Amino acid sequence: MKNNRYIVALAGVMLHLMIGSVYAWSVYTKPIAAQTGWSESSVAFAFSLAILFLGMSAAFMGRLVEKFGPTLTGTVSAILYGSGIALTGLAVQSQQLWLLYASYGVIAGLGLGAGYVTPISTIIKWFPDRRGLATGLAIMGFGFAALLTSPIAQFLMSSVGLSNTFYILGAGYFLIMIVSAQFIKRPTAEDLANFKSEDKEAVSLTGSLQMTANQALKTKTFYLLWFMFFISITCGISLVSAASPMAQELTGMSAATAAVMVGIIGLFNGFGRLVWATLSDYIGRPLTYSLIFIVDMAMFVILIFTHSPFIFAVALSLLMSCYGAGFSVIPAYLGDVFGTKELGAIHGSILTAWAAAGMVGPLLLSFTHEVLKSYYLTLAAFIILAGLALCVSFLVQREFAKLTDLADELD
């Protein structure tokens, strides 16, 4: 029975590899615009809509994970995401923009929300001794998905055409996700009894305090964590949306070199999810999140003052690792603070910060650049925001200590 947790983890990685293909949307933007005559900004909005519905639906889907189990929500995700991608092909073929928004933005977006929260709380329950590593592995799959999807999509578009590419990918995503979902199951009492932890302290860290989602949402700690997550994603997703033009403008980097840099920072986004989350198993989630914001501030300062393409790329890569870390560390942090009783629902609720950041970050960066014709003021604002989030991270540590004391009193 002890190997079951690795099968569950692998299934979670596969599920996230499929839904993480949403990050490859930029591959389709120009081909769709060229075939339909829609503006690139209109096509790009479908991505923002999908992220919005991901974040907004995650709170609801997280509660369904706890009520009905991850297999059901994973199956729902497979149906919604697979059909949403396939219907995107129909939208392109029939040249109906409203259908693009409905299929990719709404239907696939709902599938994203269901799929994102499905494995995470379950995997944490299977790995009480290595919560950070477990969530880092699953969420790393989401971060790396674009690297897998982009070349496949390029090959299919050149071989079978744009609409057929979405039909094929939709069917493929559905099949892989529906199979993966059947292996994502919560551990039974027997499974946990057979599991012998090497780190008893880690397993018992929050064993005496297990909050429901409703109880967690009534605490100050939850909203402090929400704010930290929001700032982390706002800063990071803004850079994702403008990495290439920013590098060209601030350092004189060529478009070709900037394209290579974008691929490299994508690797740091993926690996950062695993490395930072694993680190948090050893130094604790509170210190890890504080370090993330310290690195953010230092790298933003470097972006402002450097004119070296190499140093700029290194700083941006480290920022992207912090961006990925925000996603992978937060589920384990929530498990430490509130317990794992309804972690899926609590994690889903905090993902509304992702939805908000997905709309605020890129719009803030593009608006200020359009008005001021410079990225410097926005980068300076990000330094202030990261500093504010750092202060909040210290407040969370204090509130966490209070909850720990409460748990001790309950004992």
Side-chain angles (χ1 to χ4, degrees):
M1 296 295 289
K2 67 178 182 179
N3 291 324
N4 277 4
R5 63 181 191 157
Y6 297 103
I7 297 174
V8 174
L10 177 60
V13 170
M14 293 302 299
L15 193 74
H16 269 212
L17 269 174
M18 297 304 104
I19 62 173
S21 62
V22 67
Y23 273 156
W25 180 248
S26 60
V27 172
Y28 309 116
T29 303
K30 287 187 177 181
I32 291 175
Q35 182 167 319
T36 62
W38 301 330
S39 68
E40 288 189 24
S41 60
S42 296
V43 177
F45 180 70
F47 171 78
S48 297
L49 202 58
I51 296 300
L52 175 66
F53 273 85
L54 184 164
M56 297 310 295
S57 66
F60 171 71
M61 293 297 182
R63 291 180 181 271
L64 293 186
V65 171
E66 300 301 340
K67 186 173 183 179
F68 298 107
T71 300
L72 177 64
T73 54
T75 301
V76 169
S77 174
I79 295 170
L80 290 174
Y81 192 66
S83 61
I85 297 300
L87 286 171
T88 299
L90 180 62
V92 172
Q93 186 175 354
S94 60
Q95 299 193 11
Q96 299 183 72
L97 186 59
W98 71 267
L99 183 56
L100 176 70
Y101 294 154
S103 59
Y104 194 86
V106 178
I107 298 175
L110 290 171
L112 286 169
Y116 194 87
V117 298
T118 287
I120 295 173
S121 62
T122 306
I123 291 175
I124 285 180
K125 291 170 184 175
W126 278 100
F127 288 81
D129 56 329
R130 291 290 181 264
R131 288 175 178 165
L133 173 63
T135 57
L137 281 170
I139 296 176
M140 183 181 68
F142 194 93
F144 275 138
L147 296 176
L148 175 67
T149 300
S150 295
I152 294 174
Q154 293 281 13
F155 171 77
L156 287 174
M157 284 189 289
S158 62
S159 302
V160 300
L162 185 57
S163 296
N164 288 334
T165 294
F166 286 109
Y167 297 145
I168 292 170
L169 288 177
Y173 293 150
F174 169 76
L175 289 173
I176 294 173
M177 291 172 68
I178 200 77
V179 171
S180 297
Q182 310 316 306
F183 292 94
I184 305 176
K185 300 180 183 296
R186 286 185 290 230
T188 64
E190 181 185 358
D191 293 326
L192 293 178
N194 289 332
F195 171 63
K196 303 299 183 182
S197 172
E198 298 177 359
D199 188 348
K200 300 296 184 182
E201 183 179 354
V203 175
S204 63
L205 180 63
T206 57
S208 54
L209 183 61
Q210 298 288 334
M211 289 190 177
T212 65
N214 288 337
Q215 289 172 333
L217 264 61
K218 293 177 182 177
T219 66
K220 183 193 299 184
T221 308
F222 175 85
Y223 295 98
L224 292 174
L225 287 168
W226 190 100
F227 179 78
M228 282 169 46
F229 187 54
F230 171 76
I231 296 300
S232 174
I233 305 311
T234 296
C235 295
I237 207 167
S238 301
L239 296 176
V240 169
S241 68
S244 178
M246 183 185 294
Q248 294 176 59
E249 179 176 320
L250 298 184
T251 70
M253 190 181 295
S254 68
T257 303
V260 173
M261 181 199 69
V262 169
I264 293 172
I265 66 174
L267 290 173
F268 275 83
N269 180 5
F271 278 122
R273 296 166 189 246
L274 179 61
V275 172
W276 281 99
T278 304
L279 176 65
S280 74
D281 283 332
Y282 295 95
I283 67 173
R285 255 63 74 174
L287 178 56
T288 301
Y289 242 106
S290 297
L291 285 176
I292 287 171
F293 292 121
I294 291 172
V295 172
D296 276 344
M297 294 171 68
M299 294 306 106
F300 280 128
V301 170
I302 291 175
L303 291 186
I304 290 175
F305 290 104
T306 189
H307 296 289
S308 165
F310 175 76
I311 295 176
F312 185 93
V314 170
L316 196 57
S317 295
L318 290 174
L319 280 166
M320 282 299 97
S321 78
C322 292
Y323 170 62
F327 289 103
S328 61
V329 177
I330 198 68
Y333 205 160
L334 293 170
D336 290 349
V337 176
F338 302 114
T340 59
K341 181 180 181 180
E342 293 190 3
L343 181 58
I346 298 170
H347 182 222
S349 296
I350 214 161
L351 287 177
T352 56
W354 187 4
M359 299 299 287
V360 171
L363 288 176
L364 173 65
L365 188 65
S366 60
F367 176 76
T368 54
H369 182 258
E370 183 178 340
V371 172
L372 302 171
K373 308 300 180 185
S374 172
Y375 289 108
Y376 290 119
L377 185 60
T378 309
L379 290 174
F382 285 162
I383 294 173
I384 296 172
L385 288 174
L388 182 59
L390 177 62
C391 295
V392 171
S393 74
F394 295 135
L395 286 176
V396 171
Q397 293 183 39
R398 189 173 67 180
E399 293 298 318
F400 186 17
K402 292 180 182 178
L403 288 175
T404 303
D405 292 340
L406 174 61
D408 292 338
E409 291 176 8
L410 292 175
D411 285 343

